[in-house]
Amino acid sequence: MNKPSLRDVARRANVGTTTVSRVLNKHPNIAEATRGRVMAAIEQLGYVPDVGARHFRLGRTHAISALLPMIGTPFYETLLTALHDPVASKDYDLALFPLLGSQRVRRYRDPGALVYRADALVIVSQDPDELYGGPPPFRGPTVLVDVHHPGYHSVSFDNVGAGRLAAEYALSCHLPIVFLDGQDLPDAPGSPVFAARRSGILQTLGRHGIRPVLTVSVLPEQEGLRNAARDIAAQRPAGPFLLLAMTDDLALGVRQHLHDVNLHLGEDYSLLGFDGSAAAAAAGLSTVVQPVRAMGEAAAEVLLGALNGELNTLVQRQFSPTLREAQSTALRMTTA
Amino acid sequence: MNKPSLRDVARRANVGTTTVSRVLNKHPNIAEATRGRVMAAIEQLGYVPDVGARHFRLGRTHAISALLPMIGTPFYETLLTALHDPVASKDYDLALFPLLGSQRVRRYRDPGALVYRADALVIVSQDPDELYGGPPPFRGPTVLVDVHHPGYHSVSFDNVGAGRLAAEYALSCHLPIVFLDGQDLPDAPGSPVFAARRSGILQTLGRHGIRPVLTVSVLPEQEGLRNAARDIAAQRPAGPFLLLAMTDDLALGVRQHLHDVNLHLGEDYSLLGFDGSAAAAAAGLSTVVQPVRAMGEAAAEVLLGALNGELNTLVQRQFSPTLREAQSTALRMTTA
DNA sequence: TTGAAAGCGTTACCAT
DNA sequence: ATGGTAACGCTTTCAA
């Protein structure tokens, strides 16, 4: 037996297809009796509406696609959870499309890719120009998150300001600064996030005539961290220093390996990270906090606004960093 | 100007719609000249095929949906990367649908949900019976990953065997055993993974007439770990002990907090985890390894087989655990 | 090698 | 309150 269609239901209930459609879509002007007959027929046949056909007919999919560089980090979990709830409450479905490695980007240049079968597109942590070499092959509203571009709606974080804030706090510690820089994966498109933070940090330090006594650049991989710890141990300044790490993950990771080479947090060095992650909070790490939830919620708001056609102008929301101080920078107290 | 359709292209190129369709689908029997005219028309109009309409007509979407309990952990990143490549090379698109919290499960009971607009469904780390209270509202081939169920194709990991392996190794250390159990989130459907590992562990220990001297149950949250560390410090056995943790994350997390309460790995205790994560490898943690990549690849294979209708019987592949030994259990050497 | 026309399942317009 | 029918954009059969 083939999948029953709306027509089969209509025949079974002795009504027209229009009536069945109306019942399904909860139209008001339907007699309770007919409604009952239709429901019964639906039940008996085990009819399920073909959403594909509906979407085809309507030209709208009721779907939102999110294009992510990857999954596997709490940042995206938090961001997308915050984004999901508001759009789901407006009955939009959210589908995730992680790049899962950069060679897969080619797939996303095809306008026929599944990701574009959606009413709106969210691009997270990626500059569309770098991703596509131009605009995305998508006609609907597009919102950028965690990245800024003058040509799109965007919800972003002031990473330059974050770098500045970190640098100012670092300066206030009056310790020599060791900079643990993050390096992009060789084949991935360069992350604008790291570049922005880096420039905020170095400019601010420079304005005070200060440069890091040591800069170690590390890939976001586990073995890189061990090497970084070795390098720091070998080339560190004589006394205590402040270690400024580009992300909390880097900070927490290197802390472990520094321990193995006999450098101890709170005695030999202070530690400052970026992101305000839950792990940082639990570990007592001072960090520049990024309001991830708020950004996700803001993105949802922009998205829904755009879908309702309420946005006649480009929305560019930028969130500011704050600093959360914890024990990891207590050393400053001793020396300040 | 409206979106141009295949008909517009046909008119522009002075051919029938059939011909345009043939050009688009690379049919062999097309004169090179006509082909050129059609391509030119496509170019001039900026025509993009409507995939929705194509899918509607064909009844197939060329999409695979993956239903995940969450994202944000390296496990899913690895698994899905391994799953993605083989299906992408067969031109299937993969869309991710994380539950992002359990109250969102209701959405997935609706047969019209976006997730079911796919040719095949992958359910990861969830028992369909618990998720839906029955079979999923989906007609196509369905493959379970990281969980086993007699009614579905499945690619799973022998978690009971993993527990057994861990317990046997633990016994060989001849140290009192402290068991750091994982607890499910209160509102989430219970993970069969933890239950299976736990039973493998306890049964094996029991068979040797041994019970953990202390069992601490912890939520997979950061503050829970601190409390766990406190409890362990307070109630631990007199001498050195072996800490058996339900996951690497738990193991690595608690290690940090144990350090804070003056219990040191390699001196006061040995540590054994589960999962074989990259973080475990980097931290020198002994662990029961799960072949995540291989599982993802196997899932892709099953999926493609089912889509080609090559599977006339249920496929149930189960992967076995192996043990990776590292410094974290070196204490056994001293005492054995 | 090419084209006309039917038809996929749904909704919306216009009748009644 | 209800129904007939056209239309959405595409692929496919059948015929030329």
Side-chain angles (χ1 to χ4, degrees), chain A residues 225-245:
Chain A
L225 288 171
R226 189 164 28 222
N227 296 336
R230 258 211 307 272
D231 292 351
I232 292 170
Q235 306 172 44
R236 72 174 196 274
F241 59 95
L242 177 108
L243 182 56
L244 174 53

Side-chain angles (χ1 to χ4, degrees), chain B residues 135-203:
Chain B
F138 179 71
R139 303 175 76 91
T142 302
V143 177
L144 265 40
V145 178
D146 191 39
V147 61
H148 172 88
H149 188 294
Y152 299 83
H153 300 298
S154 72
V155 172
S156 60
F157 177 65
D158 181 6
N159 277 296
V160 176
R164 202 181 311 127
L165 187 59
E168 275 159 9
Y169 181 74
L171 287 167
S172 78
C173 291
H174 301 288
L175 290 175
I177 294 169
V178 173
F179 180 32
L180 183 62
D181 196 356
Q183 202 175 316
D184 291 309
L185 275 74
D187 55 351
S191 155
V193 173
F194 281 179
R197 290 182 182 178
R198 191 181 298 128
S199 99
I201 291 169
L202 297 180
Q203 271 176 30

Side-chain angles (χ1 to χ4, degrees), chain A residues 6 21 47 50 57:
Chain A
L6 179 143
S21 178
Y47 165 76
D50 182 326
R57 171 67 232 245

Side-chain angles (χ1 to χ4, degrees), chain B residues 172-176 239-241 267 270 329-336:
Chain B
S172 78
C173 291
H174 301 288
L175 290 175
F241 59 95
E267 297 164 34
S270 274
T329 43
L331 246 188
R332 73 193 295 254
M333 312 305 178
T334 337
T335 30

Side-chain angles (χ1 to χ4, degrees), chain A:
Chain A
M1 191 54 184
N2 257 344
K3 192 168 68 110
S5 80
L6 179 143
R7 227 172 170 121
D8 300 321
V9 175
R11 268 195 286 270
R12 187 82 127 103
N14 274 315
V15 295
T17 57
T18 311
T19 304
V20 179
S21 178
R22 284 198 178 112
V23 169
L24 288 169
N25 296 291
K26 312 196 202 312
H27 254 261
N29 288 357
I30 289 284
E32 199 47 52
T34 5
R35 192 191 148 68
R37 283 216 311 292
V38 171
M39 293 304 270
I42 288 177
E43 189 78 15
Q44 286 160 25
L45 293 170
Y47 165 76
V48 172
D50 182 326
V51 270
R54 170 183 287 148
H55 292 162
F56 167 56
R57 171 67 232 245
L58 259 28
R60 287 171 297 104
T61 61
H62 248 255
I64 295 174
S65 290
L67 205 49
L68 317 168
M70 51 155 132
I71 55 172
T73 77
F75 174 80
Y76 293 110
E77 172 109 34
T78 305
L79 185 73
L80 291 165
T81 302
L83 189 140
H84 178 270
D85 285 350
V87 302
S89 80
K90 296 293 179 197
D91 242 44
Y92 280 96
D93 258 317
L94 179 67
L96 266 41
F97 296 86
L99 257 30
L100 293 173
S102 61
Q103 67 281 42
R104 298 173 189 78
V105 171
R106 329 184 96 258
R107 276 202 82 63
Y108 295 109
R109 302 215 209 266
D110 176 5
L114 179 65
V115 58
Y116 305 117
R117 271 197 61 47
D119 296 340
L121 180 64
V122 187
I123 300 180
V124 187
S125 305
Q126 300 274 352
D127 184 321
D129 289 345
E130 290 202 33
L131 198 55
Y132 302 104
F138 179 71
R139 301 175 78 90
T142 302
V143 177
L144 266 40
V145 179
D146 192 37
V147 61
H148 173 88
H149 187 294
Y152 300 83
H153 299 299
S154 72
V155 172
S156 60
F157 177 64
D158 181 6
N159 277 296
V160 176
R164 202 182 311 127
L165 187 59
E168 274 159 8
Y169 182 73
L171 287 167
S172 78
C173 292
H174 300 289
L175 291 174
I177 294 169
V178 173
F179 180 33
L180 183 62
D181 197 356
Q183 200 174 317
D184 291 309
L185 276 74
D187 54 352
S191 156
V193 172
F194 282 178
R197 291 181 181 177
R198 192 181 296 128
S199 99
I201 292 169
L202 297 180
Q203 271 176 29
T204 305
L205 292 183
R207 214 173 1 254
H208 291 260
I210 302 242
R211 289 167 28 123
V213 293
L214 172 63
T215 296
V216 179
S217 204
V218 60
L219 281 167
E221 290 165 358
Q222 287 288 340
E223 57 175 323
L225 288 171
R226 189 164 28 222
N227 296 336
R230 258 211 307 272
D231 292 351
I232 292 170
Q235 306 172 44
R236 72 174 196 274
F241 59 95
L242 177 108
L243 182 56
L244 174 53
M246 196 68 115
T247 70
D248 287 344
D249 282 351
L250 250 34
L252 259 18
V254 83
R255 167 200 204 268
Q256 218 167 82
H257 294 290
L258 283 173
H259 186 273
D260 295 343
V261 295
N262 247 311
L263 284 174
H264 300 283
L265 180 59
E267 298 163 34
D268 303 304
Y269 68 101
S270 274
L271 185 53
L272 176 60
F274 274 88
D275 284 341
S277 69
L285 175 68
S286 293
T287 181
V288 177
V289 178
Q290 184 168 9
V292 185
R293 279 205 68 80
M295 286 172 62
E297 285 159 8
E301 198 182 314
V302 176
L303 223 31
L304 291 171
L307 283 166
N308 290 338
E310 294 164 359
L311 262 44
N312 30 27
T313 163
L314 229 47
V315 177
Q316 315 251 30
R317 292 193 57 180
Q318 191 175 58
F319 285 76
S320 294
T322 53
L323 201 130
R324 189 171 66 207
E325 207 174 346
Q327 324 67 302
S328 83
T329 43
L331 247 188
R332 74 194 295 254
M333 311 305 177
T334 338
T335 30

